[in-house]
Amino acid sequence: MSVMYLVPPMAEEPPHDYVVFVATYLADLRSSTSRLVGGDPEAEHLYMDVLADVACHWRRLSWRRRLLGRPYAARDYLQHRLDVRTKQWRDDQMYEVDVRVLRPQPYAPALYRRGGSIALLKAPLLADTHRAGAMATADAGIAWCQAYRRQQWHAIGRRVALGILLILTLIQTMSAISVDY
């Protein structure tokens, strides 16, 4: 039995353009989130929540980009959600948050500075073994999964609210009919 939708539900897998969007803005989002919360470990959760917020509205943001000619709609929404989530995080803090911007320290292992092992000396000469874009793909998938679950809960909530409204309407109608007789 096929179901017909006025607006189709959210896909289970992130679309390619969402993954590309996350890959484009991930580094800036992570550094901005860390900077805005002062390097708190909560920054990891905060930027994932922002990506999930964007994923929830991805279809609408894509329509704005394509149909309304707003090429930066998703980026603007990302910045808006980052601002909102950061404000919520600050409001939830028990104590006043003192954010200090620290300069990043260059990474130099102690062994490398003293001459160290031959492996550490040759490391800059070897080809990199990490997969480019793997972090962005993973983060996009996790955020999309969170958004998908959120969308499922909202659908359940809408069905429960509709059921309650139907029951209340039925009660109201039955009481109006019983008063007439």
Side-chain angles (χ1 to χ4, degrees):
M1 176 179 190
S2 66
V3 177
M4 187 180 255
Y5 293 101
L6 182 61
V7 176
M10 186 176 182
E12 291 183 17
E13 294 293 322
H16 178 71
D17 54 341
Y18 176 74
V19 175
V20 170
F21 173 80
V22 170
T24 303
Y25 293 104
L26 183 63
D28 291 337
L29 178 63
R30 288 180 69 135
S31 65
S32 294
T33 307
S34 182
R35 180 180 47 82
L36 289 170
V37 299
D40 191 282
E42 188 65 25
E44 295 290 323
H45 299 290
L46 200 62
Y47 91 84
M48 286 303 291
D49 289 340
V50 170
L51 287 176
D53 292 344
V54 171
C56 283
H57 296 278
W58 186 252
R59 186 180 309 157
R60 181 177 54 88
L61 294 169
S62 296
W63 288 344
R64 279 188 180 175
R65 186 184 74 242
R66 282 185 261 146
L67 300 177
L68 301 178
R70 295 186 56 200
Y72 300 111
R75 184 197 65 193
D76 294 343
Y77 187 73
L78 176 84
Q79 185 60 46
H80 168 72
R81 291 308 303 166
L82 178 61
D83 295 341
V84 168
R85 289 283 184 171
T86 303
K87 183 182 180 315
Q88 288 173 346
W89 177 82
R90 285 190 180 132
D91 291 343
D92 290 343
Q93 300 306 305
M94 291 176 59
Y95 306 105
E96 186 174 324
V97 178
D98 182 29
V99 177
R100 295 182 186 153
V101 178
L102 302 174
R103 292 187 181 140
Q105 299 296 321
Y107 175 73
L111 288 174
Y112 187 73
R113 280 182 267 147
R114 290 180 285 165
S117 71
I118 294 176
L120 285 175
L121 292 173
K122 290 187 175 188
L125 303 174
L126 299 174
D128 203 0
T129 58
H130 82 282
R131 295 187 331 195
M135 176 72 89
T137 304
D139 284 349
I142 292 168
W144 194 267
C145 183
Q146 289 177 355
Y148 182 75
R149 287 186 182 146
R150 190 182 302 169
Q151 181 265 340
Q152 286 179 327
W153 280 108
H154 286 184
I156 291 169
R158 285 190 298 271
R159 288 182 185 119
V160 167
L162 180 65
I164 291 171
L165 285 174
L166 286 174
I167 291 171
L168 291 175
T169 304
L170 183 63
I171 291 171
Q172 185 70 26
T173 305
M174 297 304 268
S175 65
I177 290 173
S178 67
V179 171
D180 289 343
Y181 288 112

PDB file of all heavy atoms in Angstrom, residues 126-143:
ATOM      1  N   LEU A 126      56.234  12.345   5.030  1.00  0.00           N
ATOM      2  CA  LEU A 126      55.332  11.291   4.584  1.00  0.00           C
ATOM      3  C   LEU A 126      53.989  11.872   4.154  1.00  0.00           C
ATOM      4  O   LEU A 126      53.558  12.911   4.635  1.00  0.00           O
ATOM      5  CB  LEU A 126      55.109  10.272   5.705  1.00  0.00           C
ATOM      6  CG  LEU A 126      56.372   9.549   6.180  1.00  0.00           C
ATOM      7  CD1 LEU A 126      56.062   8.676   7.379  1.00  0.00           C
ATOM      8  CD2 LEU A 126      56.938   8.712   5.051  1.00  0.00           C
ATOM      9  N   ALA A 127      53.341  11.162   3.262  1.00  0.00           N
ATOM     10  CA  ALA A 127      52.014  11.588   2.807  1.00  0.00           C
ATOM     11  C   ALA A 127      51.008  11.421   3.942  1.00  0.00           C
ATOM     12  O   ALA A 127      51.114  10.513   4.766  1.00  0.00           O
ATOM     13  CB  ALA A 127      51.588  10.754   1.601  1.00  0.00           C
ATOM     14  N   ASP A 128      50.044  12.295   3.961  1.00  0.00           N
ATOM     15  CA  ASP A 128      49.012  12.259   4.993  1.00  0.00           C
ATOM     16  C   ASP A 128      48.111  11.045   4.775  1.00  0.00           C
ATOM     17  O   ASP A 128      47.777  10.712   3.647  1.00  0.00           O
ATOM     18  CB  ASP A 128      48.179  13.539   4.916  1.00  0.00           C
ATOM     19  CG  ASP A 128      47.500  13.852   6.219  1.00  0.00           C
ATOM     20  OD1 ASP A 128      47.675  13.080   7.171  1.00  0.00           O
ATOM     21  OD2 ASP A 128      46.801  14.875   6.275  1.00  0.00           O
ATOM     22  N   THR A 129      47.712  10.382   5.859  1.00  0.00           N
ATOM     23  CA  THR A 129      46.901   9.178   5.733  1.00  0.00           C
ATOM     24  C   THR A 129      45.443   9.379   6.103  1.00  0.00           C
ATOM     25  O   THR A 129      44.648   8.473   5.961  1.00  0.00           O
ATOM     26  CB  THR A 129      47.457   8.060   6.639  1.00  0.00           C
ATOM     27  OG1 THR A 129      47.468   8.525   7.986  1.00  0.00           O
ATOM     28  CG2 THR A 129      48.841   7.641   6.181  1.00  0.00           C
ATOM     29  N   HIS A 130      45.084  10.550   6.585  1.00  0.00           N
ATOM     30  CA  HIS A 130      43.678  10.739   6.939  1.00  0.00           C
ATOM     31  C   HIS A 130      42.858  11.039   5.694  1.00  0.00           C
ATOM     32  O   HIS A 130      43.351  11.583   4.722  1.00  0.00           O
ATOM     33  CB  HIS A 130      43.512  11.847   7.992  1.00  0.00           C
ATOM     34  CG  HIS A 130      43.518  13.227   7.432  1.00  0.00           C
ATOM     35  ND1 HIS A 130      44.655  13.881   7.063  1.00  0.00           N
ATOM     36  CD2 HIS A 130      42.485  14.068   7.159  1.00  0.00           C
ATOM     37  CE1 HIS A 130      44.351  15.071   6.592  1.00  0.00           C
ATOM     38  NE2 HIS A 130      43.047  15.219   6.638  1.00  0.00           N
ATOM     39  N   ARG A 131      41.587  10.631   5.733  1.00  0.00           N
ATOM     40  CA  ARG A 131      40.693  10.849   4.602  1.00  0.00           C
ATOM     41  C   ARG A 131      40.123  12.256   4.668  1.00  0.00           C
ATOM     42  O   ARG A 131      39.504  12.631   5.659  1.00  0.00           O
ATOM     43  CB  ARG A 131      39.559   9.833   4.612  1.00  0.00           C
ATOM     44  CG  ARG A 131      40.046   8.434   4.404  1.00  0.00           C
ATOM     45  CD  ARG A 131      38.937   7.450   4.249  1.00  0.00           C
ATOM     46  NE  ARG A 131      37.712   7.823   4.962  1.00  0.00           N
ATOM     47  CZ  ARG A 131      36.730   6.995   5.206  1.00  0.00           C
ATOM     48  NH1 ARG A 131      36.825   5.758   4.823  1.00  0.00           N
ATOM     49  NH2 ARG A 131      35.648   7.385   5.833  1.00  0.00           N
ATOM     50  N   ALA A 132      40.316  13.003   3.623  1.00  0.00           N
ATOM     51  CA  ALA A 132      39.792  14.358   3.584  1.00  0.00           C
ATOM     52  C   ALA A 132      38.276  14.310   3.527  1.00  0.00           C
ATOM     53  O   ALA A 132      37.690  13.536   2.768  1.00  0.00           O
ATOM     54  CB  ALA A 132      40.341  15.102   2.370  1.00  0.00           C
ATOM     55  N   GLY A 133      37.631  15.098   4.348  1.00  0.00           N
ATOM     56  CA  GLY A 133      36.180  15.165   4.341  1.00  0.00           C
ATOM     57  C   GLY A 133      35.493  14.115   5.175  1.00  0.00           C
ATOM     58  O   GLY A 133      34.266  14.107   5.252  1.00  0.00           O
ATOM     59  N   ALA A 134      36.246  13.224   5.799  1.00  0.00           N
ATOM     60  CA  ALA A 134      35.611  12.174   6.600  1.00  0.00           C
ATOM     61  C   ALA A 134      34.920  12.770   7.817  1.00  0.00           C
ATOM     62  O   ALA A 134      33.825  12.331   8.187  1.00  0.00           O
ATOM     63  CB  ALA A 134      36.634  11.137   7.027  1.00  0.00           C
ATOM     64  N   MET A 135      35.528  13.780   8.433  1.00  0.00           N
ATOM     65  CA  MET A 135      34.927  14.418   9.599  1.00  0.00           C
ATOM     66  C   MET A 135      33.630  15.114   9.207  1.00  0.00           C
ATOM     67  O   MET A 135      32.618  14.995   9.903  1.00  0.00           O
ATOM     68  CB  MET A 135      35.890  15.425  10.222  1.00  0.00           C
ATOM     69  CG  MET A 135      35.303  16.194  11.384  1.00  0.00           C
ATOM     70  SD  MET A 135      35.100  15.199  12.847  1.00  0.00           S
ATOM     71  CE  MET A 135      36.671  15.450  13.588  1.00  0.00           C
ATOM     72  N   ALA A 136      33.635  15.805   8.087  1.00  0.00           N
ATOM     73  CA  ALA A 136      32.432  16.514   7.637  1.00  0.00           C
ATOM     74  C   ALA A 136      31.323  15.528   7.292  1.00  0.00           C
ATOM     75  O   ALA A 136      30.155  15.749   7.641  1.00  0.00           O
ATOM     76  CB  ALA A 136      32.761  17.390   6.434  1.00  0.00           C
ATOM     77  N   THR A 137      31.658  14.436   6.644  1.00  0.00           N
ATOM     78  CA  THR A 137      30.655  13.429   6.292  1.00  0.00           C
ATOM     79  C   THR A 137      30.066  12.795   7.549  1.00  0.00           C
ATOM     80  O   THR A 137      28.847  12.605   7.643  1.00  0.00           O
ATOM     81  CB  THR A 137      31.273  12.347   5.393  1.00  0.00           C
ATOM     82  OG1 THR A 137      31.850  12.975   4.244  1.00  0.00           O
ATOM     83  CG2 THR A 137      30.249  11.335   4.949  1.00  0.00           C
ATOM     84  N   ALA A 138      30.910  12.491   8.510  1.00  0.00           N
ATOM     85  CA  ALA A 138      30.434  11.887   9.756  1.00  0.00           C
ATOM     86  C   ALA A 138      29.549  12.867  10.524  1.00  0.00           C
ATOM     87  O   ALA A 138      28.471  12.491  11.003  1.00  0.00           O
ATOM     88  CB  ALA A 138      31.615  11.454  10.615  1.00  0.00           C
ATOM     89  N   ASP A 139      29.992  14.109  10.655  1.00  0.00           N
ATOM     90  CA  ASP A 139      29.200  15.100  11.377  1.00  0.00           C
ATOM     91  C   ASP A 139      27.881  15.382  10.670  1.00  0.00           C
ATOM     92  O   ASP A 139      26.851  15.558  11.318  1.00  0.00           O
ATOM     93  CB  ASP A 139      29.988  16.400  11.556  1.00  0.00           C
ATOM     94  CG  ASP A 139      31.044  16.290  12.638  1.00  0.00           C
ATOM     95  OD1 ASP A 139      31.034  15.286  13.379  1.00  0.00           O
ATOM     96  OD2 ASP A 139      31.875  17.203  12.745  1.00  0.00           O
ATOM     97  N   ALA A 140      27.900  15.418   9.342  1.00  0.00           N
ATOM     98  CA  ALA A 140      26.659  15.631   8.590  1.00  0.00           C
ATOM     99  C   ALA A 140      25.694  14.466   8.816  1.00  0.00           C
ATOM    100  O   ALA A 140      24.497  14.679   9.011  1.00  0.00           O
ATOM    101  CB  ALA A 140      26.961  15.789   7.099  1.00  0.00           C
ATOM    102  N   GLY A 141      26.210  13.248   8.824  1.00  0.00           N
ATOM    103  CA  GLY A 141      25.361  12.081   9.058  1.00  0.00           C
ATOM    104  C   GLY A 141      24.774  12.063  10.456  1.00  0.00           C
ATOM    105  O   GLY A 141      23.594  11.754  10.646  1.00  0.00           O
ATOM    106  N   ILE A 142      25.580  12.410  11.453  1.00  0.00           N
ATOM    107  CA  ILE A 142      25.098  12.430  12.834  1.00  0.00           C
ATOM    108  C   ILE A 142      24.040  13.516  13.009  1.00  0.00           C
ATOM    109  O   ILE A 142      22.986  13.286  13.610  1.00  0.00           O
ATOM    110  CB  ILE A 142      26.273  12.642  13.813  1.00  0.00           C
ATOM    111  CG1 ILE A 142      27.184  11.418  13.807  1.00  0.00           C
ATOM    112  CG2 ILE A 142      25.772  12.932  15.217  1.00  0.00           C
ATOM    113  CD1 ILE A 142      28.505  11.627  14.513  1.00  0.00           C
ATOM    114  N   ALA A 143      24.303  14.701  12.493  1.00  0.00           N
ATOM    115  CA  ALA A 143      23.342  15.800  12.612  1.00  0.00           C
ATOM    116  C   ALA A 143      22.048  15.469  11.881  1.00  0.00           C
ATOM    117  O   ALA A 143      20.954  15.760  12.371  1.00  0.00           O
ATOM    118  CB  ALA A 143      23.946  17.093  12.061  1.00  0.00           C
TER     119      ALA A 143
END
